[in-house]
């Protein structure tokens, strides 16, 4: 299943609105087929793995990170394909939350006499499928807030004179993340101050996620480097933006962050990497819209500057614990990741 | 030498104004003697190790974390004791910066025909002796700023309603540190708000470091829990304190933090664990008086609260890089330690 999850990861950021899925077929202890879902409209992971295995799939065990589908969508049902290939046993990491599937893939396999096990590495699988599950369950993308702060908790100096907080190694890691999400979001302040490109330019084989610019009052113009084909612009309902008429840009007028995120989900965004700044992130946090954190702590002190989150009034309900915390050294920095516990 | 450093560590917090020193004597690959300096006025590490080794010191190698002394202080010179015991080889981690020794111990051994190696694990040894070296070199204690912050960089909520930032495991670790320093410092705000005991009460065999209370305007009274026998109180020159006449307390009137620290060194404080709050720590940091950091990062978010350092104006010269950064998980928290790089 670990291998199937690694296969699935190859599709991260490409499969929305579908989930990333991986499949590995094992015959007498030997891997005879591997596959992953590369993109919506393309065949599912099981199909690639079965093609790879060929006749050796007969009597084999298939490890799949998500329950095989039972309905004919853009592709024929994978449960049927596994049955037709003569697979004897199917090990599933997590059931499909999609109401069109939801257990039916599993019952179909069992009804056909296959041995089915469900729940192997389920936690890892559901985390990998977080974007898909968030859209299916809540109608909005999974939101990851990423920032780099100093050891005294500053994400930026007041006058920006100290350069980036994090190391080159950390910034390369961020590009790898951009390659695995559907969209990358920043607020107006970040665009006007830093004019980021939000690309994966230092990453071989990377593709750029869609930029999402939160610009309620319509300040951002077409010269901003994050404005390109595919850019999504969130404005406040009724505000005119200089980007109206720019055919590279899709504008989503919204009355709230919730509504904006629902609009993004409708535009195929299942995973959103929120890159700041603190004003936008604090608004997300205050409304409980941050699901995951990826924080670089840089071994330096500034003494003064901006915090990652800075709500004007302390709101008790905003305080949150993290789960599944992991720690890693990335160059000179410490990367701490975790998931916001739901209360 | 690693063993000698571990021996030395047993004296941490007890030896001031002397340094912690460890000595291990090895005869044909076998450890035949170990010793450490337990307290000022007691014999040095070499003496304990030689007593332990007895006749087996003849022809042996002595590993010492600091250059053996060559002058008769409260105890006879250790260089002579090593020679008298017939030790053949001496491996020294770091030279003694004390002008009374400074290389003379080494030359004395070499002149007597002993084989002397200097500089083995020198960085580790000088860090372990930081308090002693700071007093000898700068006339002030080595200052360690310890704090716990959330992943959004807050050391406390604005209304304290969320309880302590760090875990029980982290707080136990802090008690172990208190046991290894000469004094523990807090500002007036922390005393009035939290009334901490600043003890090692959860630590078996621990002894309490001396509390140092920074109270420039003389607000702290005798009912504060950190006021006990041995407490040092730093006030602004000319200010009257309610603790005047309290014979448990020594008052150090000072015109600056620098002067206060020099006064603490004269009272035998070589290592000072600064426990906050942010106002006091920011003043220390602004004057370049923080040498080492020990920071717990707790996997939670507050959204609003106080930062570990918060200077009213951004002072470029205050920005600092850390060296010798180490990362460790302590319970649910991440402990990041480092040394402030001197510019």
């Amino acid at each position: 299943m670990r291998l199937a999850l690694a296969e699935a990861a190859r599709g991260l950021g490409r499969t929305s609105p579908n989930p990333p899925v991986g499949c590995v077929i094992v015959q007498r202890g030997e891997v005879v087929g591997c596959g992953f879902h590369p993109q919506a409209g393309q065949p599912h992971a099981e199909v690639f793995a079965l093609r790879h295995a060929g006749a050796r799939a007969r009597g084999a065990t298939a490890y799949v990170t998500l329950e095989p589908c039972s309905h004919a969508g853009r592709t024929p049902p994978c449960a049927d394909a596994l049955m037709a290939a003569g697979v004897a046993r199917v090990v599933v990491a997590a059931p499909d939350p999609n109401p069109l599937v939801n257990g039916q893939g599993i019952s179909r396999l069992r009804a056909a006499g296959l041995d089915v096990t469900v729940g192997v590495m389920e936690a890892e699988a559901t985390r990998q499928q977080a974007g898909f599950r968030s859209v299916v369950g809540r109608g909005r993308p999974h939101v990851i807030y990423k920032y780099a702060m100093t050891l005294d908790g500053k994400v930026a100096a007041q006058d920006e004179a100290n350069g980036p907080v994090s190391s080159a190694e950390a910034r390369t890691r961020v590009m790898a993340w951009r390659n695995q999400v559907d969209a990358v979001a920043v607020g107006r302040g970040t665009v006007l101050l830093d004019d980021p490109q939000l690309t994966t330019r230092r990453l071989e084989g990377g593709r750029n996620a869609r930029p999402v610019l939160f610009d309620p009052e319509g300040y951002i113009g077409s010269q901003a480097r994050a404005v390109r084909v595919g850019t999504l612009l969130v404005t406040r309902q009724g505000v005119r933006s200089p980007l109206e008429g720019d055919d590279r840009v899709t504008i989503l007028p919204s009355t709230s962050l919730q509504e904006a995120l629902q609009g993004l989900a409708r535009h195929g965004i299942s995973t959103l990497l929120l890159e700041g700044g603190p004003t936008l992130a604090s608004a997300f946090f205050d409304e409980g819209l941050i699901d995951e954190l990826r924080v670089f702590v840089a071994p330096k002190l500034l003494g003064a500057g901006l915090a990652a989150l800075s709500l004007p009034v302390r709101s008790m309900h905003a305080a949150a614990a993290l789960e599944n915390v992991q720690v890693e050294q990335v160059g000179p920095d410490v990367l701490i990741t975790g998931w916001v516990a739901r209360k």
Side-chain angles (χ1 to χ4, degrees), chain A:
Chain A
M1 191 58 80
R2 202 170 298 279
L3 192 54
L5 286 165
E7 278 292 307
R10 298 171 64 186
L12 278 174
R14 271 83 172 161
T15 62
S16 291
N18 293 344
V21 182
C23 177
V24 171
I25 297 174
V26 177
Q27 176 72 270
R28 289 189 211 92
E30 189 197 345
V31 172
V32 296
C34 291
F36 67 99
H37 182 45
Q39 201 177 329
Q42 296 267 321
H44 289 181
E46 296 90 327
V47 174
F48 285 105
L50 288 170
R51 276 187 203 163
H52 181 189
R56 290 181 296 175
R58 187 152 304 274
T61 300
Y63 294 86
V64 201
T65 61
L66 184 72
E67 174 182 2
C69 62
S70 55
H71 64 293
R74 303 193 207 184
T75 58
C78 292
D80 296 19
L82 289 165
M83 282 148 44
V87 166
R89 183 170 172 239
V90 179
V91 181
V92 173
D96 191 327
N98 189 329
L100 288 175
V101 184
N102 204 226
Q104 292 181 41
I106 291 162
S107 11
R108 197 174 176 105
L109 291 167
R110 284 192 173 134
L114 279 75
D115 177 13
V116 182
T117 307
V118 181
V120 173
M121 296 188 76
E122 182 167 359
E124 290 81 351
T126 52
R127 278 197 290 270
Q128 191 181 59
Q129 300 152 8
F132 169 69
R133 290 175 181 276
S134 179
V135 171
V136 169
R138 307 182 294 190
R140 68 161 180 88
H142 175 73
V143 176
I144 306 162
Y145 180 26
K146 159 254 137 180
Y147 54 93
M149 69 176 184
T150 59
L151 205 47
D152 58 330
K154 317 291 187 232
V155 297
Q158 273 156 354
D159 62 0
E160 302 288 311
N162 283 304
V165 162
S166 62
S167 62
E169 291 91 332
R171 296 197 300 281
T172 299
R173 179 69 66 96
V174 169
M175 292 193 182
W177 294 339
R178 287 177 184 161
N179 186 42
Q180 296 181 329
V181 295
D182 297 318
V184 174
V186 289
R188 176 191 75 199
T190 300
V191 171
L192 299 184
L193 209 64
D194 300 341
D195 196 16
Q197 297 184 56
L198 303 176
T199 62
T200 57
R201 61 195 174 279
R202 278 204 298 269
L203 198 74
E204 210 176 317
R207 72 90 186 80
N208 293 329
R210 295 179 73 174
V212 178
L213 313 180
F214 284 84
D215 182 27
E217 306 306 333
Y219 284 98
I220 297 173
S222 59
Q223 77 295 345
R225 298 199 291 180
V227 173
R228 57 176 179 259
V229 173
T231 292
L232 293 151
L233 182 81
V234 176
T235 59
R236 193 190 308 276
Q237 187 85 50
V239 165
R240 301 215 47 154
S241 154
L243 290 170
E244 278 176 34
D246 188 321
D247 58 14
R248 301 170 297 172
V249 178
T250 305
I251 301 184
L252 281 78
S254 308
T255 56
S256 70
L257 283 180
Q258 270 288 4
E259 190 189 323
L261 288 178
Q262 288 162 356
L264 290 173
R266 280 192 300 272
H267 279 83
I269 308 299
S270 303
T271 47
L272 183 68
L273 183 66
L274 175 61
E275 302 212 16
T279 309
L280 180 63
S282 297
F284 268 76
F285 180 65
D286 198 28
E287 296 190 26
L289 298 174
I290 295 177
D291 302 307
E292 187 183 342
L293 281 158
R294 299 183 185 173
V295 183
F296 292 104
V297 182
K300 55 178 88 163
L301 300 170
L302 276 177
L306 301 176
L309 293 174
S310 183
L311 294 173
V313 182
R314 217 187 72 75
S315 58
M316 264 304 283
H317 72 274
L322 295 192
E323 303 173 329
N324 189 37
V325 175
Q326 304 201 4
V327 184
E328 180 189 348
Q329 287 193 261
V330 177
D333 304 324
V334 181
L335 170 62
I336 303 177
T337 60
W339 292 59
V340 177
R342 293 287 149 226
K343 282 175 275 196

